[in-house]
Amino acid sequence: MKKKLFAVLLSSLMLCTAMAGCGGTEETSSPATSEETSYSWNELTQDDSETAAVDTSEEVVIDPENMYRSELTNEWIDKSIQDQRPVAIMVDNEKTALDHYGLTQADIVYEVMNSTANGEITRFMAVVKDWEKITRFGSIRSTRPTNFMLAPEYNAILIHDGGPFYINDYLGNPWVDNLSGGFARIDNGKSREFTEYVTTGEIEKRIKAANIDKEYNSYYKGEHFKFADDSAPTNLQAKSDAQACSLVDLPFPHNGSELEYDKESGKYLYYEYGKAHVDPENDNKQLAFTNVILQSAKCEQFDENGYMMFNILNQSGKGYYITGGHAIPITWKKGMDTDPTRYYDADGNEIELNTGKTYIGFVSTKRWSELVLK
């Protein structure tokens, strides 16, 4: 794939952080304004291939003086962003929204049912630490109450475009920071709700305009995961309750999410709608994860429109941890919004993730028996 360089400078970005509410329909975006930046699709990129690419990134040269272990992946990254808060970006997962741009830059990707209607469609929440490197990410859409319970686990700033009025009770929480709507519009030939993307420099400008803390604040509870030492990575095969797992077939009827283990890379490759999930913004790399966590949780439907949330505050449940071609049963436990979810093996020990990106999928208790690991 070849990508055309940016042909225009990104300017006149919308600095408004007002929340846009949803009515009775599934989606309502923030209204257009004269300050909203718009581009034609060809101004930003031109793709000549949709073939999934193997990640051939060069090995990182470690400089301990100027690098540190990321709290999200345990990978070595620039120390200058050590105290920088991550963002959590809501990404539309309707087939019309494909291709997704920038998603391979996420450190953690949540996939969560967005509605009990429309085939129980899911939506992504992508947690990104080094967000200053974003050139285009999305398309972005509205959020749900569940995401206001998850983003604070990382002290992350939630980026979305509106949401149903059910989120209003969460907006007033002092630990919630969010940026809603007003991001760049790219004319991609689709209807308006599929045209909003986070582009270069927007997050920095919006954070400053909204007077939001860029660095971790008093609501940050510390590192979210425990990681195994690279010299002694977690090997699930050695556990008595482990099972081989080269395929994760998730019970998401609308988009048919699957994760397939690639032994050569040691990662789980993501597929949906019957094809590899690729990122045209980053050389058509396929979305891939070292760690896969699945959580069974109860969901509550609010109304006949299908609006819902997962009930995860002060809750616990069962799940799976999957890495290196094997899976083990786990339990999870979460307290309040800002409390990180903790995951435990059958012996009650907190699991240690391997260095790399993590996928976390929420499966309703009603669908849990339909989950296939093989």
Side-chain angles (χ1 to χ4, degrees):
M1 182 193 72
K2 297 179 180 178
K3 292 190 295 183
K4 186 178 179 181
L5 295 175
F6 283 105
V8 292
L9 294 175
L10 302 178
S11 59
S12 304
L13 297 173
M14 174 64 183
L15 301 181
C16 174
T17 60
M19 170 62 63
C22 283
T25 58
E26 166 60 13
E27 296 294 344
T28 301
S29 298
S30 297
T33 73
S34 59
E35 296 178 83
E36 198 171 73
T37 306
S38 298
Y39 303 105
S40 71
W41 190 253
N42 289 332
E43 277 183 308
L44 293 180
T45 189
Q46 181 176 339
D47 301 322
D48 59 6
S49 172
E50 293 184 357
T51 303
V54 177
D55 188 347
T56 57
S57 301
E58 295 183 4
E59 185 175 348
V60 175
V61 178
I62 299 172
D63 176 10
E65 291 295 320
N66 298 298
M67 302 177 77
Y68 84 106
R69 292 275 194 174
S70 166
E71 62 274 29
L72 301 184
T73 66
N74 202 46
E75 296 168 327
W76 288 95
I77 62 173
D78 198 316
K79 188 177 287 186
S80 66
I81 63 169
Q82 185 167 2
D83 295 327
Q84 178 174 285
R85 299 169 68 183
V87 296
I89 306 174
M90 299 302 303
V91 178
D92 193 346
N93 206 20
E94 178 55 74
K95 189 174 184 179
T96 308
L98 298 179
D99 289 329
H100 292 136
Y101 284 71
L103 211 58
T104 57
Q105 292 176 254
D107 300 297
I108 302 162
V109 174
Y110 282 84
E111 185 170 11
V112 183
M113 188 202 309
N114 187 60
S115 172
T116 59
N118 195 21
E120 299 182 1
I121 188 170
T122 63
R123 188 157 291 177
F124 292 130
M125 186 181 81
V127 183
V128 185
K129 174 73 173 180
D130 196 358
W131 43 260
E132 291 176 331
K133 292 182 178 178
I134 287 176
T135 52
R136 175 171 41 170
F137 207 107
S139 61
I140 65 175
R141 286 291 286 274
S142 64
T143 191
R144 298 291 182 267
T146 308
N147 304 104
F148 284 103
M149 304 173 195
L150 292 172
E153 293 193 13
Y154 304 91
N155 198 218
I157 301 164
L158 189 64
I159 292 177
H160 60 106
D161 191 328
F165 70 88
Y166 298 109
I167 69 174
N168 292 350
D169 289 342
Y170 297 88
L171 295 174
N173 289 331
W175 51 82
V176 167
D177 285 315
N178 70 295
L179 300 171
S180 176
F183 289 91
R185 293 283 175 176
I186 300 175
D187 182 4
N188 54 16
K190 302 175 185 178
S191 57
R192 180 176 171 79
E193 63 264 34
F194 301 110
T195 63
E196 188 172 10
Y197 297 82
V198 176
T199 57
T200 304
E202 285 190 285
I203 295 175
E204 178 79 18
K205 292 181 179 181
R206 295 286 298 275
I207 286 175
K208 288 181 178 178
N211 198 28
I212 292 175
D213 295 324
K214 181 179 177 180
E215 297 185 345
Y216 286 123
N217 58 33
S218 61
Y219 296 108
Y220 180 50
K221 294 291 183 70
E223 296 180 358
H224 192 283
F225 299 119
K226 291 183 67 175
F227 287 99
D229 192 291
D230 287 348
S231 63
T234 294
N235 179 11
L236 299 184
Q237 188 175 3
K239 291 186 172 290
S240 60
D241 56 353
Q243 67 178 86
C245 183
S246 59
L247 174 67
V248 180
D249 187 354
L250 289 148
F252 299 154
H254 184 89
N255 57 306
S257 304
E258 291 185 345
L259 292 142
E260 293 185 10
Y261 184 59
D262 177 54
K263 190 173 182 179
E264 184 176 353
S265 67
K267 297 178 181 179
Y268 284 84
L269 307 180
Y270 183 82
Y271 296 79
E272 66 174 357
Y273 297 108
K275 65 178 184 178
H277 184 288
V278 299
D279 179 4
E281 194 68 9
N282 291 284
D283 301 320
N284 270 344
K285 291 178 183 176
Q286 187 169 358
L287 196 57
F289 305 93
T290 302
N291 307 291
V292 176
I293 295 174
L294 306 178
Q295 285 184 242
S296 174
K298 294 180 180 179
C299 66
E300 176 184 352
Q301 182 173 329
F302 295 136
D303 58 32
E304 67 279 2
N305 295 309
Y307 289 120
M308 48 77 66
M309 74 172 186
F310 280 96
N311 184 18
I312 57 175
L313 298 182
N314 296 308
Q315 298 290 322
S316 60
K318 58 186 177 180
Y320 284 102
Y321 172 47
I322 306 167
T323 191
H326 288 81
I328 59 169
I330 60 172
T331 57
W332 62 268
K333 183 178 181 180
K334 178 174 170 60
M336 298 304 293
D337 309 62
T338 56
D339 294 328
T341 303
R342 301 300 183 189
Y343 304 95
Y344 304 94
D345 64 18
D347 296 321
N349 300 311
E350 188 171 355
I351 64 171
E352 292 186 342
L353 274 60
N354 285 320
T355 298
K357 298 175 184 291
T358 299
Y359 168 96
I360 302 178
F362 273 67
V363 179
S364 70
T365 52
K366 294 180 180 180
R367 291 276 187 186
W368 187 252
S369 63
E370 301 172 31
L371 174 67
V372 176
L373 305 181
K374 62 182 181 180

